Amino acid sequence: MSYKIQKSPFIVPTTDGKTIEEHWGKATDGNNDISIAHMIAPPGWSEPFQTPEFDEYTYIIKGKKQFIIDGDTIVLHAGQSIKINRNTRVQYSNPFDAECEYMAICTPAFSPDSVYREE
């Protein structure tokens, strides 16, 4: 077959209230080249700084999301996107009052072993 429809994305277990549905990637179909995930970050959500070994593209569907990259604070709104190059130290957060819905695409695919979150 020359195509595959994803009807049951992998729901990544989280403890911070964020919803992560991986449609394509290591956890879903064993793909090491790319991961595509639909995410919803609740108000007040944040992650520790990290320095991933993959390029990450983020497209904001609804709300807004904050990025701290190399000391710069960037806020993206619905309809905006960003590419963050691999080996860049970054922190992701939603310090705002409304949830943020977005898509994240990582090349190569996201892996917990290649994200390097700080403690």
Coordinates of all heavy atoms in Angstrom, one line a residue, residues 1-10 22-31 36:
M1 N 0.8 -1.2 0.0 CA 0.0 0.0 0.0 C 0.9 1.2 0.0 O 1.9 1.3 0.7 CB -0.9 0.0 1.2 CG -1.9 1.1 1.2 SD -3.1 1.0 2.6 CE -4.3 0.0 1.8
S2 N 0.5 2.2 -0.8 CA 1.3 3.4 -0.9 C 1.0 4.5 0.1 O 1.5 5.6 0.0 CB 1.2 4.0 -2.3 OG -0.1 4.3 -2.6
Y3 N 0.1 4.3 1.1 CA -0.2 5.3 2.1 C -0.7 4.6 3.4 O -1.0 3.4 3.3 CB -1.3 6.3 1.6 CG -2.6 5.6 1.3 CD1 -3.6 5.5 2.4 CD2 -2.9 5.1 0.1 CE1 -4.8 4.9 2.1 CE2 -4.1 4.5 -0.1 CZ -5.1 4.4 0.9 OH -6.3 3.8 0.7
K4 N -0.7 5.3 4.4 CA -1.2 4.8 5.7 C -1.9 5.9 6.4 O -1.3 7.1 6.5 CB 0.0 4.3 6.6 CG -0.4 3.7 7.9 CD 0.8 3.2 8.7 CE 0.3 2.6 10.0 NZ 1.4 2.2 10.8
I5 N -3.0 5.7 6.9 CA -3.8 6.7 7.7 C -3.6 6.4 9.2 O -3.8 5.3 9.6 CB -5.3 6.6 7.3 CG1 -5.4 7.0 5.8 CG2 -6.1 7.6 8.2 CD1 -6.8 6.8 5.3
Q6 N -3.3 7.4 9.9 CA -3.1 7.3 11.4 C -4.4 7.5 12.1 O -4.9 8.6 12.1 CB -2.1 8.2 11.9 CG -1.8 8.2 13.4 CD -1.4 6.8 13.8 OE1 -2.3 6.0 14.2 NE2 -0.1 6.5 13.8
K7 N -5.0 6.5 12.6 CA -6.3 6.6 13.3 C -6.1 6.5 14.8 O -7.1 6.7 15.6 CB -7.3 5.5 12.8 CG -7.7 5.7 11.4 CD -8.6 4.6 11.0 CE -9.0 4.8 9.5 NZ -9.9 3.7 9.0
S8 N -5.0 6.0 15.3 CA -4.8 5.8 16.7 C -3.4 6.3 17.1 O -2.5 5.5 17.3 CB -5.1 4.4 17.1 OG -4.3 3.5 16.4
P9 N -3.2 7.6 17.3 CA -1.9 8.1 17.7 C -1.5 7.6 19.1 O -2.4 7.3 19.9 CB -2.0 9.6 17.7 CG -3.5 9.9 17.8 CD -4.2 8.7 17.1
F10 N -0.2 7.5 19.3 CA 0.3 7.1 20.6 C 0.1 8.2 21.6 O 0.5 9.4 21.4 CB 1.8 6.7 20.6 CG 2.4 6.3 21.9 CD1 2.1 5.1 22.4 CD2 3.2 7.2 22.5 CE1 2.6 4.7 23.7 CE2 3.8 6.8 23.8 CZ 3.5 5.6 24.3
E22 N 1.3 11.5 19.7 CA 2.3 11.3 18.6 C 1.6 10.5 17.4 O 1.2 9.4 17.6 CB 3.5 10.5 19.1 CG 4.6 10.4 18.0 CD 5.8 9.5 18.3 OE1 6.7 10.1 18.9 OE2 5.7 8.3 18.1
H23 N 1.5 11.2 16.3 CA 0.9 10.6 15.1 C 1.9 9.8 14.3 O 1.5 8.7 13.8 CB 0.3 11.7 14.2 CG -1.0 12.2 14.8 ND1 -2.3 11.8 14.3 CD2 -1.3 13.0 15.8 CE1 -3.2 12.4 15.0 NE2 -2.6 13.1 15.9
W24 N 3.1 10.2 14.2 CA 4.2 9.5 13.5 C 5.4 9.7 14.3 O 5.7 10.7 14.8 CB 4.3 10.0 12.1 CG 3.1 10.0 11.3 CD1 2.3 11.1 11.1 CD2 2.4 8.9 10.8 NE1 1.2 10.7 10.4 CE2 1.2 9.4 10.2 CE3 2.7 7.5 10.7 CZ2 0.3 8.5 9.5 CZ3 1.8 6.7 10.0 CH2 0.6 7.2 9.4
G25 N 6.2 8.6 14.5 CA 7.5 8.7 15.2 C 7.9 7.4 15.8 O 7.3 6.3 15.5
K26 N 8.9 7.4 16.6 CA 9.4 6.2 17.3 C 8.4 5.4 18.0 O 8.3 4.2 17.9 CB 10.6 6.6 18.2 CG 11.9 6.9 17.4 CD 13.0 7.1 18.3 CE 14.3 7.5 17.5 NZ 15.5 7.5 18.3
A27 N 7.6 6.1 18.9 CA 6.6 5.4 19.7 C 5.5 4.9 18.9 O 4.9 3.8 19.3 CB 6.1 6.3 20.8
T28 N 5.1 5.5 17.8 CA 3.9 5.1 17.1 C 4.2 4.1 16.0 O 3.5 3.1 16.0 CB 3.3 6.4 16.4 OG1 3.1 7.4 17.4 CG2 2.0 6.1 15.7
D29 N 5.2 4.4 15.2 CA 5.4 3.4 14.0 C 6.9 3.1 13.9 O 7.3 2.5 12.8 CB 4.8 4.0 12.7 CG 5.5 5.2 12.2 OD1 6.2 5.9 13.0 OD2 5.3 5.6 11.1
G30 N 7.7 3.4 14.9 CA 9.1 3.0 14.8 C 9.9 3.9 13.9 O 11.1 3.6 13.6
N31 N 9.4 5.0 13.4 CA 10.1 5.9 12.5 C 11.2 6.7 13.2 O 10.9 7.4 14.1 CB 9.1 6.8 11.8 CG 9.7 7.6 10.7 OD1 10.9 7.9 10.7 ND2 8.8 8.0 9.8
I36 N 5.8 13.5 14.4 CA 4.8 14.6 14.3 C 3.8 14.3 15.4 O 3.3 13.3 15.6 CB 4.1 14.5 12.9 CG1 5.1 14.6 11.8 CG2 3.0 15.5 12.9 CD1 4.5 14.4 10.4

